[in-house]
Amino acid sequence: MKRFFQFFMLIAIVFFVSACTDDSESAVEGGSPSEGGDLIMSFPTDIISMDPHGSEDTPSEQVRHTIYEGLVTHDENMEIAPALATEWEQIDETTWEFSLREGVTFHDGSEFNAEVVEANIDRLKDIARASPRLFILDMISEVNVIDDYTVEIITEYPFSPLLGNLSHGAGKMISKELIDEDYQNAIDEAELDITLDEYYELREDGGSEHEEIASQIGNSTGTLVEQHPVGTGYLQFDSRTPGESTTLVAYEDYWDGAPTIDSAEFKAVSETSARIAELETGTSDFIARSESNNIDRIESNENLTLDKTDALAIDYIGINTEKEPFSNKLVRQAITHAFNQEAVLSGVFNDSGTPAIGALSPVTLGYDENLEPLEYDMERAAELLAEAGYEDGFEANIMINEDNPERLDTAIWLQESLADLNIDINIQQVEWGAYLEMTGNGEHDMFVLGWSNPPADPNHLLSTLFHSDMIGTAGNRSFFSNEEFDRLLDEGKRESDQAAREQIYKDAQEILIDEAPAIFIRYPENLNAYQSNINGLIIDNNNLLDLRNVTRE
């Protein structure tokens, strides 16, 4: 009996200790935070590229942002902050020196150091990679390794926004081991009799021989990076089903401490109603772009939280200035006058965001509250069309991506307005990847798009969307070319005086108002939603997510 009693007491103690130490359920019931666990997140479109030197689109960057890091980043106030570089100094007009963070390892176990920085920028600039993001850092002429943790970056000309551009996704670091493996794979696929070191030497020398070999390996360069990306971020690649989802898992050796979540699955769910249904049923923990007509639905549900963040972006209707009759400035001005901004902001966007008067948002250098946009005026629109010789109207198309109902509604509003001017508009809805490709190729008359400004600098947005060097897939889908506008932007990026830069970008926007290559709709706000038991989720002004400290109640 005594032994039985001792055994019984031992079992009781074990159960008591277990109850005191196991907080997996009691913490939730009591309302205290627990670890984030496995996050399931739904987005309108699938990503296009896992490579930071790949596509220039937000859905891809939202995933890559958790895998890769750059030398610098932005803090919560969109000010430049340390990341893989701890300090930096501008030595002269074109020379910058960066002190790198020590003790950082990539997901493959390799070390981050100055050679990695050099390898990444060399790869970005390599014609074999043919990166559509090269323009972000193409002003860099040299990268010099001073020692293991000091690197010198020299620009071809004075470039004021360098730190902002280095914070862009194009400046994020891939493992040098993976870069080498990827190049070797491309060489092997091309069946070339050349070593990796020999190729790097040819690349450094430049010339026709490098161009020839680069053309032969170009189709395979990037293959391994796409298949298994490796960065230094707090999440690392696990698996991917193209068109459906990408799964990342916690990187336990992350230099700033392991994240609180175990994994994050980025799902592609194109229909907004389907994403919201997933949130309401608990199938998804987070959904991106809930859209303005669902604000009341989400805010009335106590189990859901709607996150509103002012976007560092512009929503606009682009006009292909190379296509007749839109090559005529008077026609573009007429189209702009026929756009009822107030009605669209109310009827389509439910007054979400701020009416745009120019390309630059109020928090961006160069924003000018005194700009006078072409106001809604149907009589003036008709006069301009008659002056241009199109009083009888014409037919044209407007292209949108099929997963965005707000862009569809915007196109419908414009279609109906232009019908009063005898202009027959056909609306084309295209899958996201094809949409970017087709508008980049100029297969459109007009299009509806939004564009963010990751460096938080006016040069990036204005140059990407309207500089003649960026025509096509690089960003200028309006195919706009204006010598004075280009001159101003070229001057602005070299100017170090902020007051002078500000005036330059104000002058540049005056040209855009007059030339009308785009109709500026609004400065949007990011509308995302998540389960109310989720804490610690941070969403910045570029709609990039920080999942490092996510917990659940």
Side-chain angles (χ1 to χ4, degrees):
M1 175 66 72
K2 182 178 180 180
R3 289 178 179 176
F4 176 79
F5 177 77
Q6 290 174 332
F7 176 76
F8 176 81
M9 290 300 294
L10 179 61
I11 295 298
I13 290 171
V14 170
F15 271 100
F16 176 78
V17 171
S18 298
C20 291
T21 57
D22 183 4
D23 63 356
S24 61
E25 292 187 9
S26 60
V28 175
E29 292 174 359
S32 58
S34 63
E35 297 299 297
D38 300 314
L39 283 180
I40 299 177
M41 314 172 73
S42 295
F43 294 78
T45 62
D46 188 31
I47 65 176
I48 294 175
S49 172
M50 299 292 290
D51 188 339
H53 302 156
S55 61
E56 179 73 354
D57 68 299
T58 297
S60 296
E61 195 60 33
Q62 287 176 311
V63 176
R64 294 185 301 225
H65 184 65
T66 67
I67 298 175
Y68 303 101
E69 297 173 296
L71 298 182
V72 295
T73 187
H74 284 103
D75 62 18
E76 63 275 9
N77 298 314
M78 296 307 292
E79 299 292 335
I80 296 295
L84 293 179
T86 56
E87 297 177 327
W88 49 88
E89 179 184 3
Q90 185 171 9
I91 308 300
D92 56 42
E93 282 190 331
T94 58
T95 306
W96 298 69
E97 187 173 280
F98 294 83
S99 298
L100 305 182
R101 193 177 298 278
E102 299 185 28
V104 176
T105 57
F106 285 92
H107 306 150
D108 59 8
S110 62
E111 182 184 10
F112 169 73
N113 54 34
E115 288 188 352
V116 171
V117 179
E118 182 182 37
N120 273 268
I121 294 179
D122 284 347
R123 178 181 189 264
L124 176 65
K125 294 174 70 71
D126 191 351
I127 57 174
R129 180 59 191 86
S131 172
R133 309 185 107 187
L134 171 59
F135 72 96
I136 300 295
L137 296 170
D138 65 350
M139 76 296 300
I140 295 177
S141 57
E142 292 182 45
V143 179
N144 299 315
V145 175
I146 307 302
D147 57 41
D148 284 351
Y149 297 103
T150 308
V151 65
E152 180 183 74
I153 293 179
I154 300 175
T155 58
E156 182 182 349
Y157 47 82
F159 186 74
S160 296
L162 180 65
L163 293 176
N165 281 34
L166 285 170
S167 74
H168 186 279
K172 293 179 179 177
M173 299 289 131
I174 310 168
S175 158
K176 184 179 184 303
E177 289 193 5
L178 177 58
I179 289 175
D180 291 344
E181 290 174 11
D182 185 70
Y183 270 117
Q184 186 62 60
N185 175 70
I187 291 170
D188 294 342
E189 287 292 317
E191 299 181 345
L192 297 178
D193 184 19
I194 185 175
T195 67
L196 183 61
D197 287 338
E198 288 172 340
Y199 175 73
Y200 286 161
E201 290 176 7
L202 285 174
R203 184 180 64 184
E204 184 176 356
D205 294 338
S208 58
E209 189 174 356
H210 169 243
E211 291 178 2
E212 181 181 349
I213 293 177
S215 68
Q216 295 179 62
I217 68 173
N219 288 337
S220 298
T221 304
T223 300
L224 298 190
V225 178
E226 293 287 1
Q227 292 175 350
H228 202 287
V230 178
T232 62
Y234 60 91
L235 295 180
Q236 59 183 325
F237 180 75
D238 179 67
S239 62
R240 171 161 163 70
T241 303
E244 296 182 16
S245 67
T246 300
T247 301
L248 311 179
V249 297
Y251 180 45
E252 299 296 336
D253 294 327
Y254 180 57
W255 61 266
D256 199 25
T260 55
I261 64 172
D262 296 322
S263 69
E265 180 184 2
F266 295 76
K267 294 169 52 179
V269 181
S270 60
E271 293 291 335
T272 305
S273 58
R275 291 197 303 279
I276 294 178
E278 290 215 352
L279 196 65
E280 291 171 334
T281 59
T283 305
S284 287
D285 299 301
F286 167 94
I287 62 169
R289 209 180 74 207
S290 60
E291 292 166 0
S292 57
N293 61 341
N294 296 298
I295 290 176
D296 291 341
R297 176 178 174 181
I298 294 172
E299 289 187 330
S300 65
N301 189 329
E302 63 181 9
N303 295 319
L304 307 180
T305 295
L306 180 67
D307 185 277
K308 298 180 180 180
T309 307
D310 289 335
L312 199 61
I314 183 73
D315 284 340
Y316 70 106
I317 298 172
I319 303 173
N320 190 338
T321 61
E322 285 190 346
K323 289 277 193 76
E324 291 286 352
F326 301 103
S327 55
N328 187 322
K329 181 175 73 172
L330 298 180
V331 173
R332 300 195 300 269
Q333 290 177 343
I335 297 292
T336 305
H337 277 300
F339 181 73
N340 191 337
Q341 183 189 54
E342 182 179 347
V344 170
L345 258 66
S346 175
V348 174
F349 297 103
N350 298 281
D351 298 315
S352 173
T354 306
I357 58 175
L360 299 177
S361 67
V363 296
T364 308
L365 180 74
Y367 172 77
D368 187 358
E369 62 182 10
N370 296 316
L371 274 178
E372 297 182 3
L374 304 179
E375 302 286 354
Y376 175 62
D377 186 339
M378 293 297 287
E379 288 186 9
R380 181 58 179 153
E383 291 172 358
L384 287 167
L385 283 177
E387 186 177 345
Y390 292 97
E391 62 271 18
D392 295 330
F394 52 84
E395 294 183 4
N397 72 64
I398 186 167
M399 192 175 292
I400 61 170
N401 50 304
E402 63 184 3
D403 63 312
N404 194 315
E406 288 178 337
R407 290 177 185 166
L408 172 60
D409 289 342
T410 299
I412 291 172
W413 275 83
L414 184 61
Q415 179 189 53
E416 293 176 350
S417 182
L418 293 180
D420 292 337
L421 298 171
N422 298 314
I423 299 175
D424 183 14
I425 297 296
N426 174 48
I427 299 174
Q428 294 180 264
Q429 299 185 65
V430 185
E431 181 271 330
W432 174 242
Y435 171 75
L436 292 179
E437 181 179 355
M438 293 173 72
T439 52
N441 293 335
E443 301 175 40
H444 63 284
D445 296 322
M446 294 184 289
F447 63 97
V448 188
L449 191 59
W451 204 263
S452 61
N453 187 5
D457 188 273
N459 174 74
H460 174 74
L461 189 137
L462 292 180
S463 291
T464 304
L465 296 187
F466 301 112
H467 196 290
S468 62
D469 287 347
M470 303 300 293
I471 282 177
T473 55
N476 184 351
R477 290 172 164 82
S478 295
F479 290 76
F480 178 64
S481 179
N482 180 280
E483 289 185 6
E484 176 61 13
F485 182 82
D486 286 354
R487 186 193 66 77
L488 285 170
L489 294 194
D490 292 342
E491 181 182 342
K493 66 185 179 183
R494 291 172 168 82
E495 178 60 62
S496 58
D497 182 83
Q498 289 297 86
R501 289 192 81 212
E502 181 176 24
Q503 187 58 53
I504 286 170
Y505 296 120
K506 287 181 177 180
D507 293 343
Q509 288 186 97
E510 292 281 3
I511 293 175
L512 292 181
I513 296 298
D514 180 61
E515 290 290 329
I519 303 170
F520 302 114
I521 304 170
R522 64 168 186 155
Y523 309 119
E525 58 182 355
N526 299 317
L527 299 176
N528 302 293
Y530 51 88
Q531 301 290 339
S532 293
N533 68 338
I534 297 289
N535 291 317
L537 171 63
I538 298 174
I539 306 173
D540 74 7
N541 298 95
N542 284 310
N543 216 22
L544 300 179
L545 312 178
D546 185 344
L547 311 174
R548 287 176 295 177
N549 299 308
V550 168
T551 59
R552 299 175 189 266
E553 290 186 351

